[in-house]
Structures are given as C-alpha cells and as structure tokens.
Amino acid sequence: MKRSYNLRAELSLPMDGWYFNRCINDALLTSLSGEKGPVHINIAVSEPLTQEMDMPSVRERFVTRIPSSNIPDEQSMKLLCDEFMSARKVLVLVAFSQPDEQLSQALLRLAELPQVVVLTESIANVRGKNLIPTIDRVYSVIDKAEWEDYAPDLLITLGGSLVSRMIKAFLRQHKPKLHWRISQGDHVVDTMQSLTCHIDSQAASFLEVLSRSVFPIESDYSMLWHRKEVIATRLHDDYIAHVGWCDLKAFSLILPAIPPGTALQLSNGTTVRYAQLFKCEQVLRSDCNRGVSGIDGSTSTAAGAACVGEEMTVLITGDMSFSYDVNGLSSTYLSPRFKIIVMCNGGGGIFRFIKPTSDLPELETCFEIHRDISVEKYADLFVISSSMMKNRPQRYFLSFSPRKIGRLYWRSTPRMFIMPRFCGDTFAGRDNDDND
C-alpha cells in the first residue's frame, strides 16, 4: 500500500469539495507514479446509510504529472511550451529557495518577456533586473476594480511555503486557468487550489530549457505590474521618510546598511514579513526559521549557519524570540563572524496583526510579553560584546572584529504600530504555511 486517505462523504464546509478533489488527484498520481502500486481511500459515511442527496454536476479538476527527470521529455516539453505560449498573462511566483545561479538566469530571461511577471519573496534568494521582490507592497496598490487585469492565465510556482498571505489569497480568489507546480517528489502541493500540472523536475534545469523555448507575444502584463511597482515604491519611500520611530523605521535603516556579501538570518514570521517590504539585494542569501518551527531555535539556527559560512552572518530577531532561544549563545562553536540585532519592542507584537488573536480580551495578558528584556545582561552572561544601536547602523557593521566571539546589538522600538495599507497588509491572517 503506497498511501492511505481518509475522507468524509459529507461536503459541509466551503473547502470540502476542493480537499476531496485534491486527495483523489494525489491518490491517482501516487498510484501511477514510479513503481505503480495500490492506494487506499476510505470514505466515512454516517447514518442513515440509505439517505439520498441531490448533488450539483460539476466538472472536476484533473491534475497531471510530468514524470521525474531533470528535463521533461521532448513531447511533454512541447505540450508545456504550447500551454505557456497560449497565455497572455504568465505569473511566476518564487518562494524560499537555495541560491542558484542557473535558476536566477533562467528567471531573468523569462522576466524579459512582456507576458511574464516574476514575483520573488525575500527568502527566494533570486535577484536581478525585472524581478519584483516586494510582493506585498506592490500588490497593496492594486485597486479591486483592477484585480482581473493582474490575475494570471498561467501561474508557475516553485520553492517552499509562501510568506505572503496577500498574494496567496489573491490567487485563490482569482484562480488561473493553468497552474504548474515545479518540485521534486510525489507530494501534491496545491496551495492556490488550482493546480493543473505537477512538474517533477529540478526547477533550474526545467526553467533553463523553457526560457530558451518560448518567445515574446503581444501583452502588457509585465508593464502593468512594473507600473504598480513604481507607484508602490514612491508611496513606501515617502511614508518611511515621515514615519515616527517604530519597527518599520528601524528596518528601513538596518537593511540597507547590511554589508554586501552578508548572510542574513531572519528569526521568524515577524522579521521576514518586515523584510518583505524592502529590497535587500546586496546580501549573499536570506534565510528564515519560520512556519512550524516559529521562534523555536531561531538563534541556534543562525549560530549554526555562521559556523559553516565564510561570510558575516547577521541575525535580526525580536526580543521574545531572542530570549526564547538564548541558550543558542552557549555553544562553544559560536563564530566571530556572527552578529545579532535584537528588536526590543516589548515582545509578541505580531499577535496584534493576526486576526484570530488581535481582538481577544486575553491579548495583552496571554499573548504579549509587556516586559523589558535585558539584552545587555544576556550578552554579559555569555561573554558576548554588545551595545545599543542608535542612528547610522552602518558604523556598527563596520566595527566587526574577527577576534571577538560574536557581536550583539539591540534597538528599542514602540510596542504598538499600525501598518499603512500601501506598505502591505503583511501580517494579516493566520500563519498557516502548510495549508495546501
């Protein structure tokens, strides 16, 4: 038995129909992929067993899979190229990935096509001209009346779980006619609830061939998105120039000051969502400890990454995350190339932006810390040099000394801050990253 599924016969919730279809497609793909074998589907029915129900006739979605290989066979590649060329609006969405020069070059070639837009997240680790890395702030300036113009005909997704809940909600609401998912393995990931083809291939190799097999068509899709990028950048920069002291202002000073070639570690969902609002193209790579892990081990993860890289590693973390995993600083392998910036904002501020907790009467007593964490005393405990970061963050990075075991800075910001809409409703919704 290759896999087992348990499904309910009743379709009582709005997403039950999609989930049923998703599981049946996954069962068929699993059964027929690789070494063919049986799967078990158990459908739970409730009494009375003789009850009849009228069900509307619907055209069910059928997901295909391109078999595992570095590059699909010639026939499959021709079918995919035909689908690509039939779309006037192609959206490529890149979630977290390892740095890959071949992938970056393939995406840059696709982004030159007038019918193609490439959106990248801050931890996608692909950068270059014509790519749009600030998804949330660009999407937030698209008016509802314009949504249809920006919805793709073909959606291509690759990488891990998405950070941006805004683009996820948009694509679920405006489902593309075609949706390719490029990933290796037989697990069906259907985050947008619109998957039509799973391409079991290495993304860089496949997109390399695709980018050399397709050509421009008449379309203004890329132009539309890039016009919004210009508007969003102007509004964002103007707001940052006038906003008072807060986390957003601190990030606007810290991120541009990070030296080129630095490995950036973002502790969890809060820091990565702030990073989504800024371009930080000078860093070597960006990584984040988020999703299931949350704040568990964020400092330890960054400390471990600093041990294996030759470059400077900078961790940006919140005071709650920092104190939660402060024992990560006790490692005897702590690298002198490791720096930590702690955002001291009273802890737990993200719970004010998450809908399930923002209106709870227990918000301030059960979810937020409301206490000052002594970063300096923690640093003294682990014999790490520290100082409070004030204006001009550049000088703190320039003070890096290879003889010192780590370096810790902290900045105090207000506990409460309301995010303007044009900066992106980045923190809205539940952080359920595995909802596929």
Side-chain angles (χ1 to χ4, degrees):
M1 190 71 63
K2 295 183 73 174
R3 193 168 292 171
S4 179
Y5 302 84
N6 291 298
L7 301 172
R8 296 186 304 112
E10 295 85 1
L11 304 180
S12 55
L13 299 175
M15 292 180 63
D16 283 351
W18 161 77
Y19 183 72
F20 202 103
N21 175 279
R22 173 205 184 282
C23 290
I24 297 300
N25 269 297
D26 187 64
L28 290 171
L29 292 173
T30 299
S31 176
L32 299 174
S33 297
E35 185 176 345
K36 296 178 176 61
V39 294
H40 173 248
I41 302 175
N42 178 59
I43 300 178
V45 295
S46 56
E47 295 183 347
L49 301 180
T50 57
Q51 181 181 4
E52 294 184 359
M53 296 180 63
D54 291 328
M55 298 296 293
S57 177
V58 296
R59 182 178 177 86
E60 291 293 341
R61 179 172 52 116
F62 181 67
V63 180
T64 59
R65 170 174 286 149
I66 305 299
S68 175
S69 64
N70 282 337
I71 304 171
D73 61 80
E74 185 176 346
Q75 182 180 2
S76 298
M77 201 68 211
K78 183 180 184 306
L79 291 172
L80 292 172
C81 287
D82 289 344
E83 283 192 349
F84 187 99
M85 294 305 302
S86 70
R88 292 187 66 256
K89 298 184 293 181
V90 180
L91 181 63
V92 183
L93 185 55
V94 190
F96 79 81
S97 309
Q98 296 288 330
D100 188 321
E101 184 61 25
Q102 183 185 16
L103 176 62
S104 295
Q105 291 304 315
L107 290 170
L108 288 171
R109 277 193 293 273
L110 288 174
E112 293 176 354
L113 301 176
Q115 73 269 36
V116 177
V117 172
V118 180
L119 304 181
T120 67
E121 299 214 285
S122 57
I123 52 177
N125 288 305
V126 289
R127 301 172 182 87
K129 184 181 178 182
N130 293 332
L131 306 184
I132 299 179
T134 52
I135 298 175
D136 289 345
R137 81 183 195 194
V138 174
Y139 171 76
S140 66
V141 298
I142 301 175
D143 190 84
K144 288 184 179 180
E146 303 174 303
W147 279 354
E148 288 296 333
D149 296 332
Y150 291 83
D153 300 324
L154 168 62
L155 172 66
I156 303 174
T157 56
L158 58 145
S161 299
L162 279 170
V163 173
S164 173
R165 296 197 61 83
M166 297 179 71
I167 199 67
K168 187 188 300 183
F170 171 70
L171 292 170
R172 284 181 176 177
Q173 186 177 350
H174 299 83
K175 290 180 170 55
K177 298 175 183 177
L178 301 166
H179 176 191
W180 302 350
R181 169 69 185 174
I182 309 171
S183 64
Q184 294 179 296
D186 62 358
H187 179 57
V188 176
V189 177
D190 191 17
T191 303
M192 309 309 172
Q193 303 170 8
S194 59
L195 186 68
T196 57
C197 182
H198 173 216
I199 302 171
D200 188 355
S201 175
Q202 205 272 338
S205 300
F206 169 73
L207 291 176
E208 168 77 17
V209 175
L210 179 70
S211 67
R212 298 184 184 280
S213 305
V214 294
F215 49 86
I217 64 171
E218 185 177 349
S219 173
D220 62 353
Y221 192 56
S222 176
M223 181 184 66
L224 287 175
W225 276 93
H226 284 284
R227 280 179 178 173
K228 291 297 184 184
E229 184 186 23
V230 172
I231 294 171
T233 300
R234 175 175 54 80
L235 290 171
H236 175 87
D237 291 347
D238 183 65
Y239 184 83
I240 292 297
H242 296 92
V243 71
W245 185 241
C246 59
D247 283 350
L248 183 66
K249 185 74 169 184
F251 270 90
S252 74
L253 297 173
I254 292 171
L255 292 176
I258 296 176
T262 299
L264 177 62
Q265 290 279 333
L266 301 163
S267 65
N268 52 39
T270 302
T271 52
V272 74
R273 282 174 167 81
Y274 275 117
Q276 289 275 93
L277 300 174
F278 299 91
K279 291 184 178 181
C280 197
E281 298 178 337
Q282 79 278 18
V283 300
L284 180 67
R285 62 179 297 158
S286 299
D287 295 284
C288 180
N289 201 49
R290 62 178 297 272
V292 176
S293 299
I295 62 175
D296 290 335
S298 56
T299 303
S300 301
T301 299
C307 290
V308 297
E310 295 298 323
E311 64 282 342
M312 184 195 305
T313 298
V314 174
L315 167 66
I316 304 179
T317 183
D319 45 8
M320 177 187 282
S321 300
F322 175 72
S323 63
Y324 197 85
D325 188 36
V326 73
N327 282 335
L329 300 178
S330 64
S331 172
T332 57
Y333 299 102
L334 208 61
S335 169
R337 298 181 296 275
F338 186 36
K339 289 178 180 283
I340 305 174
I341 299 174
V342 183
M343 308 296 292
C344 295
N345 55 14
I350 191 169
F351 294 111
R352 290 189 174 272
F353 297 98
I354 300 176
K355 290 180 180 178
T357 57
S358 60
D359 297 326
L360 291 177
E362 300 86 0
L363 173 65
E364 296 191 3
T365 56
C366 298
F367 290 92
E368 289 191 310
I369 293 180
H370 290 187
R371 64 185 178 90
D372 294 327
I373 294 174
S374 179
V375 176
E376 187 176 16
K377 290 181 180 178
Y378 274 130
D380 292 341
L381 175 64
F382 294 103
V383 197
I384 296 175
S385 59
S386 68
S387 60
M388 184 173 183
M389 183 179 284
K390 300 179 182 177
N391 293 327
R392 298 180 62 197
Q394 294 91 338
R395 71 186 186 90
Y396 294 93
F397 292 116
L398 294 174
S399 67
F400 167 66
S401 170
R403 294 185 296 276
K404 294 181 179 179
I405 306 301
R407 185 84 184 182
L408 193 150
Y409 308 111
W410 70 93
R411 300 198 77 162
S412 296
T413 56
R415 182 169 58 84
M416 296 179 60
F417 170 66
I418 305 300
M419 184 74 70
R421 183 181 181 276
F422 51 79
C423 284
D425 190 12
T426 309
F427 300 90
R430 294 174 298 169
D431 194 9
N432 185 3
D433 303 302
D434 299 316
N435 184 8
D436 57 5

